[in-house]
Amino acid sequence: MPSFRPVPAWLADAVLYQIYPQSFADSNGDGIGDFNGVTERIDHLAWLGVNTVWLNPCFASPFDDAGYDVSDYLSVAPRYGTADDLANLVDAARRRGIRVMLDLVAGHTSDRHPWFQAAIDDPADQRYIWTEARDGLPPGFVPSPGLRAGGYLPNFFESQPALNFGYARENPAEPWRLPVHAEGPRANRAALREIMDHWLRLGLAGFRVDMAHSLVKDDPDLTETGRLWTELREWLDATHPDAALLAEWGDPAVSVPAGFHSDFFLQFGGPSDGLPLRSLWNNGHGTVADHWTQKHCYFDADGGGTAGTFVTAWESVNAVIGEQGFITLPTANHDFSRLACGPRTAEQLPAAFAFQLTWPTLPAIYYGDEIGMRYLPGLPDHEGSVLDPGYNRAGSRTPMQWDDTPGAGFSTAPEDHYYLPLDPDPGRPDVATQRADPGSLLHLVRRLIALRTSTPELGSRSPVTVLHSGYPLVYTRGDAYLVAVNPRREPASFTLPAPGAPGARPVETGGATVDGQEVTVPGFGWGIFAY
């Protein structure tokens, strides 16, 4: 593992909150969320207790893929406002103790980016992966839209040409496979430094890097990709030592040694293709890929899963990364189903948050999950949201529900102008109603965040010992706290090994009790005890 500067001290205590900006809050009545809308709602985040915000891409874009097709990395998209509006948001957040991170789309641009528009007419340009073949294109390549012969390699949609960071393995029969040290790949690495430097100097706290593992092509063990990020981390340590890099990689055992400060357990990635996260939350509804073979998740009313899959993966990864970085555990994200999805009901959500906010990972709350917003099925494709019939990402991107008015407080625009439809359920949860109810999920999440941030033993660096990975899941934190979680509908119990948790005192509970060595947890119950 390379020798990096220590992780920025603030990151160890981070409670992240992901904002999908076009769906969070609309300040100007056009039906699309914007920077000023986030600023107007920043007190909600401060009250909740989150201290780090990650914004999905807000750079200039034609929005063929909801902003993951960037046409200018140094300008903000007009739908969100101006650079001054973003600066005001960052300042308002800073004054409340909240850092703001941006989403860096490192591996590709929009086909409308000036770099690509120049490349389609210039055979010498190496910014993108290009074959000059005139007698048929290799698989995966798209015909040139310009004067240049041949075609280019996209990363995802055809409108997202892959930036050229080189190939780990060259092949004389495939001359487009440039080495990682060729002129084009070197220029693109320099461009990433310039982009990051620009935004960090304006007060941003760091980046979540989109598809960070995908830059160098044909890199089976990701060695060259790792070297690329190691180089960028060394530059970051020297120039912006307080900034953080979070990876969308899904394999912290590889990405953190490569240079990232943290990586997410995701619905994909790693040796088991995202199984650690899916084994917790994926109940077979919402966004489900055809190749997933998992049948049961742990947070399921029928109790058919096990927490052991997640625990084993976490232990394995943690043994590799140690103090060098963190694993981030999200409740959901813009590409994956919300916690409230399919048959999972509101009464099942407190146990999920009790686990997420007491486990030694960095917690990332997806906007609206703190009130139990649900994944909305059956929405039409919007800005590339549908990847296949069973994987419609729009259901996790619907407007934030702020109050119980017809427009949910999201916008003053007519609802048919909203970025995506509101949840039509008349009983949909909202912030204002839950704020007025001390017994709501929102208040519970706030209390759990406060408990975590005020209790080092419940934080990201304190040790955990798992006593039982079935139902209930029982573990200790820092030899001072006992946590028990039962996500199934039937009660569950566990006998603690002697001497148990003598004098266990409930700190926050959802019905769980400790009597001597016996832990008893009702259906969908949980408890946090000091001893």
Side-chain angles (χ1 to χ4, degrees):
M1 185 180 292
S3 179
F4 300 121
R5 288 181 63 101
V7 176
W10 63 266
L11 191 61
D13 298 318
V15 177
L16 291 96
Y17 189 93
Q18 180 188 348
I19 290 178
Y20 193 68
Q22 49 261 64
S23 293
F24 194 65
D26 169 25
S27 70
N28 63 2
D30 65 357
I32 299 176
D34 47 48
F35 296 136
N36 288 339
V38 179
T39 303
E40 290 171 1
R41 297 292 187 174
I42 199 72
D43 283 335
H44 168 69
L45 304 183
W47 176 87
L48 187 60
V50 300
N51 54 23
T52 309
V53 166
W54 152 38
L55 298 173
N56 283 97
C58 51
F59 306 119
S61 170
F63 291 95
D64 291 335
D65 186 19
Y68 283 93
D69 48 322
V70 176
S71 57
D72 184 352
Y73 287 103
L74 302 183
S75 299
V76 300
R79 66 162 52 170
Y80 300 131
T82 66
D84 286 343
D85 295 332
L86 176 58
N88 290 338
L89 165 58
V90 171
D91 182 62
R94 178 191 55 77
R95 287 186 276 108
R96 292 160 174 81
I98 299 171
R99 289 174 167 84
V100 179
M101 304 183 73
L102 298 183
D103 200 314
L104 177 62
V105 186
H108 55 266
T109 69
S110 165
D111 59 2
R112 299 185 216 179
H113 195 291
W115 294 344
F116 187 73
Q117 291 299 307
I120 64 177
D121 293 330
D122 182 0
D125 190 285
Q126 296 182 357
R127 180 77 74 175
Y128 299 88
I129 299 170
W130 206 281
T131 174
E132 309 294 336
R134 296 177 182 274
D135 298 322
L137 294 177
F141 280 75
V142 176
S144 170
L147 299 176
R148 187 176 186 177
Y152 65 93
L153 184 72
N155 262 354
F156 302 103
F157 299 128
E158 290 188 3
S159 60
Q160 294 169 312
L163 285 166
N164 189 1
F165 291 95
Y167 278 75
R169 299 188 291 196
E170 298 175 63
N171 182 347
E174 298 180 348
W176 61 86
R177 288 175 170 257
L178 297 181
V180 296
H181 53 76
E183 179 183 352
R186 286 189 288 109
N188 283 332
R189 292 200 303 273
L192 288 183
R193 293 193 296 270
E194 292 165 7
I195 294 163
M196 289 192 285
D197 185 67
H198 173 83
W199 293 107
L200 292 172
R201 290 187 185 281
L202 294 179
L204 279 302
F207 301 90
R208 175 267 194 187
V209 180
D210 176 66
M211 297 297 290
H213 64 286
S214 68
L215 273 61
V216 177
K217 303 303 183 187
D218 194 13
D219 188 13
D221 59 4
L222 297 176
T223 298
E224 291 298 338
T225 302
R227 286 174 178 158
L228 182 156
W229 287 112
T230 296
E231 174 189 310
L232 288 170
R233 168 66 181 273
E234 290 170 344
W235 166 81
L236 195 72
D237 281 351
T239 56
H240 300 282
D242 203 40
L245 282 181
L246 311 182
E248 186 195 28
W249 192 309
D251 193 1
V254 176
S255 58
V256 170
F260 282 91
H261 297 96
S262 182
D263 186 11
F264 294 79
F265 272 159
L266 294 167
Q267 68 275 17
F268 65 87
S272 59
D273 190 27
L275 185 59
L277 180 74
R278 290 187 281 109
S279 73
L280 294 175
W281 313 135
N282 175 44
N283 61 5
H285 296 262
T287 50
V288 179
D290 290 339
H291 66 276
W292 291 350
T293 58
Q294 168 214 342
K295 297 186 183 301
H296 302 285
C297 65
Y298 184 66
F299 284 83
D300 185 72
D302 292 337
T306 173
T309 303
F310 169 83
V311 170
T312 299
W314 179 87
E315 289 175 339
S316 175
V317 172
N318 196 56
V320 173
I321 66 176
E323 299 291 308
Q324 295 297 308
F326 302 95
I327 304 164
T328 298
L329 180 63
T331 58
N333 61 51
H334 59 291
D335 290 333
F336 186 56
S337 310
R338 290 185 176 276
L339 287 179
C341 179
R344 189 176 290 132
T345 60
E347 63 182 332
Q348 295 175 252
L349 302 183
F353 275 104
F355 164 72
Q356 193 224 17
L357 289 167
T358 59
W359 191 262
T361 45
L362 299 184
I365 298 170
Y366 186 51
Y367 83 97
D369 278 359
E370 73 271 26
I371 58 172
M373 279 179 58
R374 69 177 179 126
Y375 173 89
L376 195 60
L379 295 180
D381 185 26
H382 187 61
E383 295 187 351
S385 63
V386 177
L387 300 184
D388 64 48
Y391 210 98
N392 185 348
R393 302 177 292 175
S396 293
R397 302 174 175 184
T398 56
M400 181 66 173
Q401 294 153 200
W402 292 104
D403 58 39
D404 62 359
T405 61
F410 166 70
S411 173
T412 58
E415 285 189 42
D416 60 1
H417 284 61
Y418 281 18
Y419 175 75
L420 282 169
L422 277 171
D423 184 348
D425 186 345
R428 66 191 177 213
D430 67 80
V431 171
T433 299
Q434 292 198 13
R435 182 82 178 258
D437 176 10
S440 67
L441 177 65
L442 177 60
H443 274 274
L444 172 63
V445 172
R446 183 186 189 227
R447 293 197 305 274
L448 289 172
I449 291 174
L451 179 62
R452 178 187 178 94
T453 55
S454 65
T455 310
E457 293 88 349
L458 295 176
S460 60
R461 289 301 195 197
S462 178
V464 61
T465 299
V466 177
L467 304 178
H468 189 240
S469 60
Y471 295 92
L473 171 62
V474 182
Y475 51 96
T476 61
R477 297 298 317 276
D479 295 324
Y481 289 84
L482 176 77
V483 181
V485 177
N486 178 29
R488 73 180 188 185
R489 68 170 61 87
E490 298 300 322
S493 61
F494 175 70
T495 302
L496 297 169
R505 173 179 58 84
V507 177
E508 281 282 353
T509 66
T513 59
V514 177
D515 185 3
Q517 291 177 234
E518 196 69 14
V519 180
T520 304
V521 193
F524 308 142
W526 55 277
I528 303 168
F529 303 86
Y531 65 94

